[in-house]
């Protein structure tokens, strides 16, 4: 009789524990991180649709401490951005082109949009802004330690206001990893070149090696 009573007491205790979220006779709850599916990764050479060249890849690898980066998107994000930017209703929209996440929450990313104003007629750098001339159709500005902007003329009939009245295509790079000026220029130039190519813009953009830094005045 006593043994039967003990069994029923155990059953009742288990029922209470189950209702309150515990388990009878079980160990500590499982760590959800231990069962979490690992995020897919890509080699650095494929990050952001391959906008990093050899030296840039090496620098990024050193900063991240890894040969691989979390996968940003399975899509060609520059092709997607170009497709949407070719639609007139998307003139005021900013689209992601590249994102390299980092464990400490520092980021490297590039976004693209139609610029809110024409390419500024700058012929020199200043204390606040370093200006790079990228041929006749583009200009790059580095403002501060972590931001770089690429403005490129892009005649696109779907959006066109026509000729000089059309806003330039704009790529904005945000770098919190502390990458070099060369790596930033390389990545941003390759990114905008891809968007321009997908959009069929009539713009001749030089490669990173042909971009010239304008001296200060």
């Amino acid at each position: 009789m006593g043994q039967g009573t003990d069994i029923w007491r155990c059953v009742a205790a288990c029922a209470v524990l189950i209702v309150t979220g515990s388990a009878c006779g079980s160990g500590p709850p499982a760590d959800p991180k231990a069962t979490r599916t690992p995020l897919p990764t890509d080699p650095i050479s494929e990050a952001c649709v391959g906008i990093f060249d050899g030296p840039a890849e090496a620098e990024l690898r050193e900063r991240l401490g890894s040969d691989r980066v979390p996968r940003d998107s399975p899509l060609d994000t520059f092709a997607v951005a170009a497709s949407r930017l070719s639609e007139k209703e998307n003139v005021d929209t900013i689209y992601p082109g590249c994102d390299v996440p980092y464990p400490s929450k520092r980021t490297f990313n590039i976004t693209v949009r139609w610029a809110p104003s024409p390419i500024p007629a700058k012929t020199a750098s200043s204390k606040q802004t370093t200006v790079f001339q990228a041929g006749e159709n583009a200009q790059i500005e580095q403002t501060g330690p972590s931001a770089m902007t690429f403005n490129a003329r892009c005649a696109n009939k779907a959006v066109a206001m026509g000729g000089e009245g059309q806003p330039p295509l704009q790529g904005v790079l945000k770098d919190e990893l502390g990458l070099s000026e060369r790596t930033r220029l390389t990545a941003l130039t390759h990114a905008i070149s891809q968007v321009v190519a997908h959009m069929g813009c009539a713009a001749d953009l030089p490669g990173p090696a042909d971009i010239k830094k304008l001296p200060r005045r």
Side-chain angles (χ1 to χ4, degrees), residues 1-208:
M1 182 69 178
Q3 184 177 359
T5 302
D6 290 341
I7 292 174
W8 283 109
R9 284 177 179 170
C10 181
V11 171
C14 285
V16 171
L17 289 172
I18 292 171
V19 169
T20 58
S22 302
C24 184
S26 65
D31 182 359
K33 294 182 180 179
T35 57
R36 188 177 299 168
T37 302
L39 294 174
T41 62
D42 287 320
I44 285 179
S45 60
E46 296 178 13
C48 297
V49 204
I51 63 173
F52 300 100
D53 65 1
E57 287 178 23
E59 185 179 358
L60 190 60
R61 188 179 299 111
E62 181 181 352
R63 288 288 189 277
L64 299 176
S66 173
D67 289 328
R68 303 184 70 83
V69 294
R71 181 171 300 162
D72 177 31
S73 171
L75 304 174
D76 183 337
T77 49
F78 296 118
V80 173
S83 175
R84 293 177 178 172
L85 285 166
S86 294
E87 301 170 8
K88 193 167 186 177
E89 61 268 26
N90 294 328
V91 168
D92 297 324
T93 306
I94 298 174
Y95 292 99
C98 163
D99 186 24
V100 178
Y102 189 70
S104 67
K105 297 185 179 179
R106 289 183 292 170
T107 59
F108 176 95
N109 63 59
I110 296 173
T111 57
V112 291
R113 66 169 181 171
W114 290 108
S117 58
I119 297 176
K122 294 186 177 181
T123 58
S125 298
S126 66
K127 287 184 178 181
Q128 295 76 26
T129 305
T130 302
V131 180
F132 304 85
Q133 193 63 43
E136 297 180 355
N137 293 308
Q139 195 171 81
I140 305 168
E141 293 184 25
Q142 179 161 302
T143 53
S146 63
M148 188 174 278
T149 301
F150 192 123
N151 291 306
R153 293 187 179 90
C154 178
N156 186 281
K157 293 181 180 180
V159 179
M161 291 94 174
E164 296 298 323
Q166 183 172 359
L169 187 67
Q170 184 178 83
V172 177
L173 178 151
K174 179 181 178 183
D175 169 30
E176 295 178 348
L177 301 180
L179 298 173
S180 66
E181 180 181 278
R182 182 203 175 278
T183 291
R184 291 178 180 177
L185 281 173
T186 298
L188 189 54
T189 301
H190 287 165
I192 297 303
S193 295
Q194 288 196 40
V195 177
V196 164
H198 285 303
M199 295 182 71
C201 301
D204 182 19
L205 299 182

